[in-house]
Amino acid sequence: MKREGQISVNSKNMFPIIKKWLYSDKDIFLREIVSNGCDAIKKLESLQGIGEAQLEDGYQPKVIVTIDSEKKQLIVSDNGIGMTEDEVERYITQIAFSGAEEFLEKYKEKSEESAGIIGHFGLGFYSAFMVSDTVEIETLSYKEGAKPVHWVSAGEDSYEIEDGTRTEHGTTIIMNITEEEQEFLQESRIREILHKYCQFMPYEIYLNPHDEERPVYDKDGNIEKNEDGTEKKRIVKPLPINDIHPLWLKAPKDCTDEDYKAFYQKVFMDFNEPLFWIHLNVDYPFNLKGILYFPKQLNRMEVMPGQVKLYSNQVFVADNIKEIIPEFLLLLKGVIDCPDMPLNVSRSFLQNDGEVQKIAQHITKKVSDKLHQIFKNDRPSYEKYWNDISAFIKFGCLKDEKFYDRMKDILLFKTIDGEYKTLEEYPKAEGNKIYYVTDENLQAQYISMFKENGLTAAVLTHAIDPHFISLLEYKNPEEMKFLRIDADLGEALKVSQPEAESEDAKKAQEEENNKLIECVKACLPDEKLEYKVESLKATEIPAVILLSEYARRIQDMNKVLGESFAPEGQVTLVLNSENEIVKKIPSLTEENRKLVCEHIYDLALMAHKPLSAEQMSKFIARNVKLLELLAE
């Protein structure tokens, strides 16, 4: 026989869960309570706007946070709509009943102003129990003839309600802080939390406000005196801890460059000026406002993370939520305000929300549009910015195919001559080869030889560049092939031994080269090393090391995996037949030949990669020995 029943929830069992698991960060309780205060003010202003409430003259909406260390109380008070006893019973004692939702439903046709109300779930108030033994409410409704109400609960299955003492409309939440959470009675800690979550809330917030007496100074900096000789005093009113009119809410046309820079420094404590910025201001098809800054990269060898703050109606929600901000845009700094985003946002909600995906796509498009605008209208500035923004753009191309398609025509390559070329403009070598440099200091020898031969190479020194060039080769297999500058020097420079005049001369030249190789090979311990003799135009360079592009990429990949591997037969020592020292190697004594060959090899190796500790020790010892020989 089937029976139907109703699932019941015991509040006594719910409160331990609320206290421990309602929010991942415990300090968020203060954001919830202050947000509720702002909602209460917003509701009152909305009712006043449709003629259902009358505000007193000189009404100043505000939320006041007070710490009472003696009583171990943290108190949040607003002068908003307040509650009647019936409303306290309905909104507070029914867990998850949303007063905000009921208010929006009731007045949505009468007032557009109500759209700014923050709360959605009705659980925010109960976050106070995460840090409190008991929570009290003192409230007085704006309604004429309403009586003040006092409510108190220890967060179990019971509460007490009676007449209150409040004389002005609004609500006061009194949190009696537990022994374990005494940090929330420290002014510095509360100020930190308010700054984090409430820095841009829409109504003024004051922390422990009080008037101050300060001396009055004359134009010369002296304290002015009263007739009786006492110091003149002036009353200084307290300042709110928040900015109720953040820059992102203003129209871009009303903001100056100085405004943007000052806001950047204020929010991110970064006193390096941003390169440029994008002001987002969208009302349709979704509501989105914000500012994204392109910061100056202090370390151009690494991908430096940025910080994008997500707000909902000026209330801080979280940092760097990649479901809304595409991962590669997290290299930027900025603020995004999505008023339709709930404060209790979850990753699963964001991943499955179609509007969120549209917002992310819109932000990406606005960024690419801005970059195209700068490239088209002010290419010198775009080139000037490139070293700072290239990592962000390359990362974006790797992470987002649509972003790559938008950006491919304005990707730049800086050459060893200091010029900036797009892929279309870049002068490719035979076979669509693009030679590149990964370390301008280490590979200075190769760069010098390229320049002497009228060739160029791209400077790709960032950690992201190996992945980026692989992407370009994958996207353009017939149009480009990347080779590091030390991968195939003979092919790049088109160098070789001068053509012999006769077969006998050719044979003699070949025998001479083989003899030179055998002499050098006998002096060097590396059996995997291959040898070539070529005529390099740079006569001062005795030898260079070459490693095939394929082998080097395999080697780099294995380093990432914590291994060290170079395929056999891929490393080549190219001896310069035009160098005077190399020419003399066969005629040297055995001892001096070994000394010179090892030294030439190490010099070539140093231009290819850093020496190991053991190699460097031997190199230094050999230098000392060479100096001793010169001194004899």
Side-chain angles (χ1 to χ4, degrees):
M1 180 179 175
K2 291 184 179 179
R3 291 191 303 118
E4 291 186 357
Q6 188 174 2
I7 296 172
S8 63
V9 178
N10 189 321
S11 61
K12 190 170 184 177
N13 295 330
M14 279 285 290
F15 268 102
I17 297 172
I18 289 173
K19 285 184 175 184
K20 190 169 185 180
W21 302 111
L22 183 57
Y23 295 99
S24 56
D25 296 321
K26 191 171 289 187
D27 63 5
I28 215 167
F29 81 92
L30 190 55
R31 181 195 76 175
E32 296 297 298
I33 302 302
V34 173
S35 294
N36 284 348
C38 289
D39 274 353
I41 295 169
K42 185 69 177 178
K43 290 175 185 177
L44 184 60
E45 289 187 338
S46 298
L47 292 174
Q48 191 267 341
I50 60 175
E52 293 203 11
Q54 185 66 42
L55 298 180
E56 60 271 21
D57 293 339
Y59 173 70
Q60 180 190 354
K62 59 188 172 184
V63 176
I64 297 175
V65 181
T66 308
I67 301 168
D68 189 331
S69 300
E70 290 186 8
K71 293 182 180 180
K72 297 183 179 178
Q73 291 178 338
L74 180 62
I75 304 162
V76 178
S77 182
D78 67 72
N79 57 353
I81 194 171
M83 291 180 284
T84 63
E85 182 173 335
D86 179 63
E87 288 168 338
V88 171
E89 293 271 12
R90 187 160 73 255
Y91 301 152
I92 301 300
T93 64
Q94 297 182 43
I95 295 176
F97 184 98
S98 176
E101 286 186 354
E102 185 196 49
F103 185 90
L104 288 169
E105 184 65 27
K106 183 176 180 181
Y107 294 105
K108 66 181 179 181
E109 295 181 359
K110 293 185 179 182
S111 174
E112 295 181 1
E113 294 292 326
S114 60
I117 291 173
I118 300 163
H120 288 282
F121 294 106
L123 280 171
F125 165 74
Y126 286 95
S127 64
F129 288 100
M130 296 169 68
V131 298
S132 307
D133 286 323
T134 60
V135 178
E136 302 174 49
I137 299 175
E138 283 281 0
T139 184
L140 176 61
S141 173
Y142 76 99
K143 296 175 181 176
E144 189 174 347
K147 293 181 180 180
V149 181
H150 178 260
W151 180 95
V152 62
S153 175
E156 296 177 350
D157 59 347
S158 64
Y159 60 87
E160 295 177 3
I161 191 166
E162 59 185 347
D163 290 345
T165 58
R166 185 161 179 134
T167 58
E168 296 180 345
H169 62 80
T171 300
T172 300
I173 307 297
I174 304 164
M175 292 163 278
N176 295 285
I177 305 299
T178 67
E179 284 297 326
E180 295 79 16
E181 308 295 347
Q182 295 295 297
E183 64 174 292
F184 298 113
L185 294 173
Q186 299 171 9
E187 183 170 335
S188 59
R189 181 74 173 105
I190 296 302
R191 189 176 296 277
E192 174 193 344
I193 297 169
L194 291 173
H195 184 268
K196 177 180 179 181
Y197 293 110
C198 311
Q199 187 180 9
F200 299 107
M201 278 192 181
Y203 297 101
E204 291 182 349
I205 301 166
Y206 295 86
L207 175 59
N208 290 336
H210 60 276
D211 293 346
E212 286 186 41
E213 275 194 347
R214 294 185 185 175
V216 177
Y217 294 90
D218 62 23
K219 62 181 181 179
D220 297 320
N222 301 312
I223 297 176
E224 293 187 6
K225 303 288 185 179
N226 294 311
E227 291 181 2
D228 60 1
T230 59
E231 293 182 353
K232 278 188 179 181
K233 300 285 186 179
R234 61 189 177 96
I235 301 298
V236 178
K237 294 292 183 182
L239 296 175
I241 58 94
N242 61 323
D243 175 4
I244 65 175
H245 300 296
L247 194 65
W248 73 76
L249 293 182
K250 297 180 181 179
K253 64 181 178 61
D254 297 329
C255 305
T256 66
D257 286 357
E258 292 309 312
D259 290 336
Y260 286 114
K261 292 174 185 177
F263 184 76
Y264 177 79
Q265 291 178 354
K266 174 182 177 181
V267 175
F268 301 104
M269 299 303 291
D270 186 349
F271 294 95
N272 294 294
E273 286 190 359
L275 301 172
F276 54 94
W277 46 84
I278 300 171
H279 195 143
L280 304 167
N281 193 359
V282 183
D283 294 319
Y284 182 82
F286 42 76
N287 198 340
L288 170 70
K289 298 185 187 300
I291 305 171
L292 290 176
Y293 290 93
F294 290 72
K296 194 170 183 62
Q297 291 290 318
L298 299 181
N299 186 346
R300 291 177 178 169
M301 298 300 290
E302 298 177 12
V303 179
M304 303 300 291
Q307 184 184 29
V308 180
K309 296 173 177 286
L310 175 65
Y311 289 80
S312 174
N313 273 319
Q314 300 173 238
V315 182
F316 177 75
V317 176
D319 280 321
N320 297 350
I321 296 183
K322 64 182 179 181
E323 285 78 9
I324 294 178
I325 311 298
E327 187 179 359
F328 68 92
L329 290 183
L330 297 180
L331 300 181
L332 306 182
K333 293 183 179 181
V335 294
I336 299 292
D337 194 336
C338 302
D340 300 327
M341 195 68 57
L343 294 184
N344 307 57
V345 69
S346 68
R347 286 280 158 84
S348 58
F349 167 83
L350 293 171
Q351 289 167 352
N352 297 305
D353 188 86
E355 286 301 302
V356 167
Q357 295 170 17
K358 290 178 184 177
I359 289 171
Q361 291 168 6
H362 176 81
I363 292 172
T364 302
K365 183 178 183 302
K366 292 296 287 185
V367 168
S368 61
D369 288 348
K370 177 71 173 183
L371 293 169
H372 270 275
Q373 177 190 351
I374 298 173
F375 178 83
K376 181 180 178 181
N377 299 330
D378 189 4
R379 178 157 174 175
S381 290
Y382 187 80
E383 293 180 359
K384 183 177 70 175
Y385 299 147
W386 181 253
N387 288 343
D388 288 289
I389 66 174
S390 62
F392 143 74
I393 293 175
K394 292 170 184 176
F395 188 36
C397 290
L398 287 164
K399 299 297 290 186
D400 187 329
E401 189 169 353
K402 287 183 179 178
F403 187 74
Y404 168 79
D405 290 337
R406 291 190 183 109
M407 296 300 300
K408 61 185 178 182
D409 294 332
I410 62 171
L411 296 171
L412 295 184
F413 289 97
K414 181 184 176 183
T415 71
I416 54 177
D417 301 307
E419 297 177 328
Y420 290 86
K421 305 285 187 182
T422 64
L423 281 170
E424 185 178 351
E425 297 165 347
Y426 194 88
K428 301 176 183 67
E430 186 178 333
N432 287 327
K433 293 174 182 175
I434 296 178
Y435 290 92
Y436 66 96
V437 174
T438 58
D439 188 320
E440 291 178 276
N441 293 322
L442 190 64
Q443 294 152 14
Q445 266 192 167
Y446 302 90
I447 293 172
S448 178
M449 283 188 282
F450 261 55
K451 286 182 176 180
E452 286 180 12
N453 285 272
L455 298 174
T456 193
V459 179
L460 297 173
T461 57
H462 202 283
I464 203 170
D465 283 326
H467 310 284
F468 181 62
I469 63 175
S470 295
L471 172 73
L472 292 178
E473 288 175 331
Y474 172 75
K475 293 284 188 181
N476 309 276
E478 303 298 325
E479 298 174 26
M480 62 190 74
K481 179 182 179 183
F482 285 85
L483 296 171
R484 201 168 82 171
I485 199 168
D486 56 354
D488 194 1
L489 199 62
E491 180 65 24
L493 302 180
K494 294 295 181 186
V495 295
S496 62
Q497 288 284 27
E499 193 67 31
E501 293 179 359
S502 64
E503 285 299 319
D504 289 341
K506 186 184 294 186
K507 186 176 180 180
Q509 185 183 74
E510 190 174 325
E511 288 177 355
E512 189 176 333
N513 288 346
N514 289 337
K515 182 180 178 182
L516 174 60
I517 289 172
E518 289 304 315
C519 286
V520 175
K521 192 174 183 178
C523 297
L524 300 179
D526 191 347
E527 296 179 0
K528 298 177 184 178
L529 197 62
E530 290 190 353
Y531 298 85
K532 282 185 180 180
V533 178
E534 291 182 344
S535 176
L536 304 180
K537 290 184 179 180
T539 57
E540 74 280 1
I541 297 173
V544 292
I545 292 284
L546 301 184
L547 177 65
S548 75
E549 182 70 14
Y550 172 78
R552 191 190 57 73
R553 292 194 192 187
I554 293 293
Q555 195 176 71
D556 288 347
M557 183 176 67
N558 279 275
K559 284 179 183 177
V560 172
L561 299 174
E563 303 172 12
S564 180
F565 170 73
E568 285 190 32
Q570 297 293 329
V571 181
T572 304
L573 179 66
V574 179
L575 298 164
N576 185 5
S577 60
E578 301 300 313
N579 182 266
E580 293 301 321
I581 297 173
V582 172
K583 290 178 182 179
K584 293 178 181 178
I585 287 175
S587 61
L588 296 174
T589 64
E590 186 175 340
E591 181 181 0
N592 287 349
R593 184 187 304 157
K594 181 174 177 58
L595 189 68
V596 169
C597 288
E598 287 179 344
H599 208 65
I600 287 174
Y601 177 59
D602 275 359
L603 288 172
L605 206 59
M606 288 174 73
H608 176 69
K609 66 177 183 178
L611 296 181
S612 67
E614 183 182 357
Q615 288 171 327
M616 182 57 75
S617 296
K618 289 181 179 179
F619 179 76
I620 292 171
R622 199 181 307 115
N623 270 282
V624 173
K625 194 167 184 179
L626 286 169
L627 289 172
E628 289 173 349
L629 289 173
L630 287 171
E632 290 178 358

